[in-house]
Amino acid sequence: MRLVVLLSLGILMILPAESFEPLTMTAIGFGIAGSAAYFRCKFTECCDDRSIPGNIGALRDSLDRTLFGQHIVKQHVVAALEAHFRSRSTSRKPLVISFHGQPGTGKNFVADQIAQALYLEGSKSGYVTKYLGQADFPNADFVQYYKQRISLEVRNQLGKCPRSLFIFDEVDKMPSGVFDTLASLADYNVFTDGTDNTKAIFIFLSNTAGKHIADHLGNLMKSGVLREETRLGDFEKLLKNAAYNLEGGLKQTALIESHVIDHFIPFLPMEQAHVVKCLEEEFWRWNMQPKKSAIAEILKNSISYDRKHNMFAISGCKTLEKKVAMVISDPYNPALT
């Protein structure tokens, strides 16, 4: 006599197989498989709401506390992500965003915070893929290979989880044309192999147009416009034109020609007041009360400003972590007393 073993709620049951109809047996099989998948996803990462909570509220709160001088970023990036997740079931294309700005203005910082908010495991999630400039695409002679590689890897990742995040950093250091195959992967499409791209997010990070942003902002401010009054519309066309015409991975790319990129986001250059806030945040990370004398020392010795407007910190907040660490590591530094 064939026996069927059932494990339910911790109770072991051994029943004759003849007491089950074939349909019932099939349902039991699916039930056991479903339960196994359920418990597996309770403890390991899966492409589900537990592992991908999409906590936009947490992102908004985090950026409000830790991102300085970037009102346009806070307003539009959060809104774009919120709209994408809210329309997850009806979205017809991926969300594609391009970050532009000088080093130290927060592009990587924001991209990392997006990953932290959207995925339970943050940037370490298996559904977050990051490419890095020359490290991943060093040779312009291999553009055709790079295009095939990106296409294959993106489609494979989307096959594993349609709600994947792709971050392309240092786009300005990538060879022109490397993103051409992405134009179809990030556009309105129905793939014959069943690949679903509509829930994905693509983010490009580039220093391209950083100086253009600084010059335009400086001119606006000198004409009487307050920094906080500037809007996305003041910069978006400038960014789109610069990205398309300047050297880098987005130069004359089909991504721009096909209008696949949904938002060009400017990261404004940092003024001294923003650098001070970054320094204070770094001291708090060391559980130390920020001291005006220590901050003044770093500002005096380590921060340079642009020649044209003499108001924007050239390196933004990029090197401040190491500057603060060096000051703190010296117990005899008079600025700490």
Side-chain angles (χ1 to χ4, degrees), residues 14 36 38 57 83 91 107 117 135 158 173 177 195 201 215 265 291 335:
I14 304 178
Y38 172 80
S91 175
K107 300 184 297 296
L158 290 175
K173 297 179 182 178
T195 301
I201 300 173
D215 287 343
I265 304 294
K291 293 185 178 296

Side-chain angles (χ1 to χ4, degrees), residues 61-77:
D61 293 342
S62 179
L63 293 181
D64 282 341
R65 292 193 314 270
T66 60
L67 182 66
F68 309 118
Q70 304 297 349
H71 64 285
I72 296 176
V73 175
K74 292 179 183 178
Q75 178 183 357
H76 290 277
V77 170

